[in-house]
Amino acid sequence: MVRASLAAAFLWFVAAPLWASPVSHFTLENGLEAVVIEDHRAPVVVHMVWYKVGSADELRGKSGIAHYFEHLMFKGTDTMAAGELSKTVAANGGSDNAFTSYDYTAYYQRIAADRLELVMKMEADRMRHLKISPDDWKTERDVILEERAQRTDSDPGALFGEQKNAAQFLNHPYGTPIIGWRQEMEALTRDDALAWYPKYYAPNNAVLVVAGDVTPDQVRTLAETYYGVLAPTPDLPERQRPQEPPQLAERRLVFPDARVAQPYLSRSYLAPERDPGDQKQAAALTVLAEVLGGNSATSVLGRKLIFGDGSAIYASAYYDGMAIDDTTFNLAVMPVADVTLPEAEAALDRALADFLKEGIDPAQFERIRTRIRASEIYAQDNTEGLARRYGEALASGFSIEDVQSWPDVLMSVTEEDVMAAAHAVFDKRHAVTGYLTRPEQEAAQ
C-alpha cells in the first residue's frame, strides 16, 4: 500500500503542470493592469498593488524618496485618517504591509475573502487622494532616518554591502541604497513627496494582483468600481536610467569595523538580468548559483571549501535575475578561525578554476533539476508567493507568458548552458571583491 502511494505521488510529480492555478489578466480603460490567481482552498485573499517605480527611478540627489513615500502612503486621505487603513485591516483579522525595491514599490493586504471590497476601496482611495500634512512629512522623515540607523548604520555587514554595491555600480542607480544616503534623506521635503506622488502613483503605472478565494468576474467588477474611476497620469515618463560604463578592471575594498563578529569575503560580478521574452541566460545563471552554493553538503563550494580543504565554515552563491538592468552574480566565503581572508580568497579562486576546468557532476546536476522542479510545484501552495511572483514580474516589464514559461525555461537548461554562463560571468575585470574584517585583522593581513 505504501509503495503504491509513493508511485502515485511520483507520477503526479513528474506529470503535474508547473502552473496549475487558474490565472486571469485584464486591463482597465485607465491603464490599470490586473491579475487574478484563483485558489479556493481557503476563504482568504491577498490583495496587492505594485507601482512601476522604485529607488532606481529617483533623481540624483534625492535618494530615498521612493522608500520615504512608501511610508507616507500610510497617512490619511479625505475619507481615512492617518493609520486608519492598517487599523481597519487588523480589526478585520487581516495583515498589511509595503516594501520598496530598486524597480518597484508594492502594498498588500491579506484578509478574509469577504473583506476584499473593503481593502480594495481603501487602497484605491490612497492611490490618488493621499493627503500629506506639514506635520506628517517631518515625522515620517524622522522614521526613515531611524530605520536607516537601526538597519544599516548599526550593522557593519549592511554598511559593507552598501559600499561594495556602490563600487560595483559607478553610474547606475543600482549602486545607491534603496533606503537612501543619509545626507540626502535628511534633505527630503514635503515638496519632494508631492512631486513624486502624482507622477508615479497612477492606475496606468500600477499592477493589481488579487490571489485567493475569488473569481475573475468578482475582481473585475470591484476593480472597475474603485480603481476604474481614477484618472491616469498623462504622458507617463519612460523608465530611463543612467547605464554603467564598461568595467575594465577589478575593484577591491576592505571594510574594517570593530563590531564584526565573524570576518568574511564576498565577490560580485556584473551579470545579465532576466529579459522579457529571453530568459535562457538568466535561467542558466540561476542553475549555476545552485550548482556552486545551493547546498553546503553537495554544492561545489561546499564540497571544496567546507568539507574539502576545511578552509571555510560557510560558502554561498546567489543570483536573482529579476531586474530591469544588469544585475550581479554573488559569492561569499566565511573562513575558519585560523584562515585569513586572503587565504580564503585564494581557496575560492582555486575552487572556481577547478570547476571551470572539470565541469558539472552529472549526478549533482540531475539532483538540482529535481529540486528546482519540486520547488516550483510546491510554490503553487503559497498563494501570497504566487501573487508576489506575478506582481514583481509585471512591475518589471515582464508578461504573464514570461512568468508562466520560467519553470520550463529553467528545466530546459543543460550542463553546457551552465558552463557557458560560468565562463562568461567569471571575469575579474567585471568584479568587486570585498573583505569585511576587524581592524586588528586588517593590520595583520
Side-chain angles (χ1 to χ4, degrees):
M1 186 69 178
V2 172
R3 288 184 179 180
S5 298
L6 289 175
F10 178 76
L11 288 173
W12 173 84
F13 174 79
V14 297
L18 291 182
W19 292 103
S21 299
V23 177
S24 303
H25 179 230
F26 59 87
T27 302
L28 300 183
E29 289 186 8
N30 60 4
L32 178 77
E33 277 192 276
V35 177
V36 183
I37 306 167
E38 294 184 69
D39 183 346
H40 301 290
R41 294 174 298 174
V44 176
V45 293
V46 176
H47 172 268
M48 309 187 82
V49 173
W50 297 71
Y51 292 97
K52 300 176 185 179
V53 63
S55 67
D57 301 296
E58 296 166 342
L59 293 175
R60 294 290 193 188
K62 299 293 183 182
S63 66
I65 182 64
H67 174 252
Y68 175 41
F69 194 82
E70 174 212 309
H71 280 245
L72 289 173
M73 276 285 278
F74 289 87
K75 300 303 178 181
T77 67
D78 287 335
T79 60
M80 286 191 296
E84 183 178 341
L85 186 149
S86 295
K87 292 177 182 177
T88 302
V89 171
N92 282 271
S95 60
D96 76 310
N97 214 326
F99 47 89
T100 304
S101 185
Y102 288 114
D103 297 321
Y104 52 77
T105 310
Y107 303 82
Y108 70 93
Q109 301 86 31
R110 182 178 179 87
I111 201 164
D114 62 358
R115 301 294 194 275
L116 174 60
E117 182 173 9
L118 173 65
V119 296
M120 189 178 290
K121 179 180 179 181
M122 292 188 294
E123 192 66 76
D125 186 25
R126 67 176 174 175
M127 179 181 281
R128 278 310 214 185
H129 304 131
L130 187 69
K131 300 297 180 185
I132 304 173
S133 74
D135 294 329
D136 286 342
W137 74 269
K138 289 183 179 180
T139 301
E140 214 56 47
R141 191 179 64 182
D142 291 340
V143 170
I144 63 168
L145 287 168
E146 179 60 25
E147 183 177 335
R148 179 179 170 92
Q150 291 183 358
R151 297 187 178 182
T152 304
D153 298 336
S154 63
D155 182 351
L159 288 171
F160 170 60
E162 191 175 78
Q163 292 295 307
K164 194 167 73 68
N165 208 40
Q168 182 78 77
F169 295 99
L170 297 182
N171 195 51
H172 193 283
Y174 285 169
T176 300
I178 294 171
I179 198 168
W181 299 115
R182 172 169 285 277
Q183 73 275 14
E184 294 182 358
M185 296 167 66
E186 290 172 340
L188 293 174
T189 67
R190 180 171 180 258
D191 287 342
D192 293 327
L194 292 176
W196 185 264
Y197 181 42
K199 186 177 182 179
Y200 295 113
Y201 278 63
N204 55 326
N205 199 43
V207 178
L208 167 68
V209 182
V210 180
D213 191 18
V214 294
T215 66
D217 288 342
Q218 287 175 314
V219 175
R220 179 186 283 272
T221 298
L222 291 174
E224 288 177 343
T225 299
Y226 295 106
Y227 291 109
V229 297
L230 302 177
T233 291
D235 303 320
L236 192 69
E238 292 186 14
R239 305 182 82 170
Q240 296 180 337
R241 285 92 171 264
Q243 297 298 302
E244 281 295 289
Q247 184 176 338
L248 305 177
E250 181 186 11
R251 298 163 191 164
R252 303 182 66 85
L253 71 152
V254 177
F255 191 92
D257 193 304
R259 298 170 295 178
V260 172
Q262 180 64 55
Y264 65 87
L265 72 93
S266 68
R267 181 183 294 158
S268 59
Y269 297 86
L270 278 178
E273 77 280 9
R274 186 173 149 191
D275 290 321
D278 183 10
Q279 305 181 91
K280 190 64 177 283
Q281 191 173 19
L285 289 170
T286 301
V287 177
L288 174 63
E290 284 292 313
V291 170
L292 290 177
N295 183 298
S296 61
T298 60
S299 66
V300 169
L301 296 182
R303 291 202 313 265
K304 289 184 177 294
L305 303 181
I306 301 175
F307 298 100
D309 61 22
S311 61
I313 59 174
Y314 173 79
S316 68
Y318 175 76
Y319 169 80
D320 181 1
M322 183 58 73
I324 291 178
D325 298 311
D326 280 350
T327 184
T328 56
F329 189 99
N330 303 277
L331 304 170
V333 176
M334 185 175 289
V336 297
D338 59 347
V339 173
T340 67
L341 291 177
E343 289 170 341
E345 183 183 0
L348 171 63
D349 287 335
R350 286 194 299 271
L352 292 177
D354 290 345
F355 171 71
L356 292 174
K357 180 180 179 180
E358 297 167 0
I360 302 174
D361 176 3
Q364 182 201 16
F365 187 71
E366 285 307 311
R367 286 195 299 270
I368 288 172
R369 281 171 51 84
T370 300
R371 190 162 65 241
I372 288 173
R373 183 175 179 87
S375 67
E376 293 296 331
I377 291 174
Y378 296 147
Q380 294 297 310
D381 286 332
N382 188 335
T383 303
E384 185 174 326
L386 285 178
R388 285 176 179 253
R389 183 176 293 198
Y390 277 94
E392 179 185 30
L394 268 66
S396 302
F398 291 79
S399 67
I400 296 290
E401 292 72 23
D402 289 324
V403 179
Q404 295 182 340
S405 66
W406 174 244
D408 292 332
V409 176
L410 280 173
M411 295 305 296
S412 72
V413 170
T414 65
E415 295 176 41
E416 293 75 19
D417 294 331
V418 174
M419 294 309 300
H423 281 283
V425 79
F426 291 144
D427 184 342
K428 277 197 174 182
R429 294 172 300 175
H430 305 157
V432 175
T433 301
Y435 292 177
L436 176 65
T437 186
R438 291 189 289 269
E440 65 272 16
Q441 290 183 319
E442 178 196 21
Q445 290 167 171

